[in-house]
Amino acid sequence: MDNMFPSFLYNFWKVIFQTLQKVTLFDILRTFIPYLKNSKYKYVFVELWVVLNVLISFISVIFIHNVTSDNFQLLKLILLVYGIYRVFEINITQLNLMLFSDGIGEVRSYKRTIILLLHNYVEIVLWFTLSYLYFSSEFKNVDTKSFVEIIYISLVTMASFQSALMPGTSMGYYLVSFQTVTGLLLTLISLARFIPLLANPKSIDRDESITNRDLEEYKHLCENLMNQVKKQDDYIKRLEEREKSIIAAIKEIEQSKRLTASAKESD
């Protein structure tokens, strides 16, 4: 789209999502501790942040499943709220990176980004597992499932956009729908964006060993050949034009000789 007429809809959502990014805990920490944002260790902080939250989600799920005492209801609620916030933060970050970076979004490496995305994927599966355990009364069949089965169902919901859980209330439907949308976002937008950028392993089979670099070199070679053919065609056309000029000059000379001979005979 012409830069003179920017998309109103794009700019509208860009302002919203970049504003939401600024209120995430991750950005707040980097704002108040500039060292985490500007130093050479900023990438290390990102990795530690991701790994730490995966561990928190795993420990939280185990805690929610094994601790049934009502004395810890406040702590369970805090873990649930933090889990919801983390899913929100991951979604906002990925949308800003994929859609609203205006081509200036920088990643250290594609492989590292995919590994971090997979960690985010596992973390979200665990946070939704926690939510299903916390809101077990909102579903008809959660109480009959084992701990491993709930994790499996959460994973399947993320990966296949279908759930084996049977919501009994609107809250149950909201949770399943939210996880389905989140899975769609991470799978089709984020992972699908970076996976094609990975280098393909080299094949021993000669028919399969053509790389992108080979294709580029072949394309460049074809372009050079086409340019040479074009130059030869132009040269041939110039020769043909010169030949026509010479033939025309010869005809004029012959005609001039005939006229001269005719004049002499008349004399």
Side-chain angles (χ1 to χ4, degrees), residues 220-234:
H220 184 66
L221 178 61
C222 289
E223 290 176 352
N224 289 336
L225 290 174
M226 291 299 294
N227 290 332
Q228 291 179 7
V229 170
K230 185 177 180 181
K231 290 179 180 179
Q232 290 178 355
D233 289 340
D234 293 339

Side-chain angles (χ1 to χ4, degrees), residues 127-144:
W127 285 126
F128 274 103
T129 301
L130 183 148
S131 67
Y132 294 145
L133 291 171
Y134 187 89
F135 292 107
S136 59
S137 60
E138 310 293 332
F139 297 89
K140 298 178 181 179
N141 56 342
V142 169
D143 293 334
T144 63

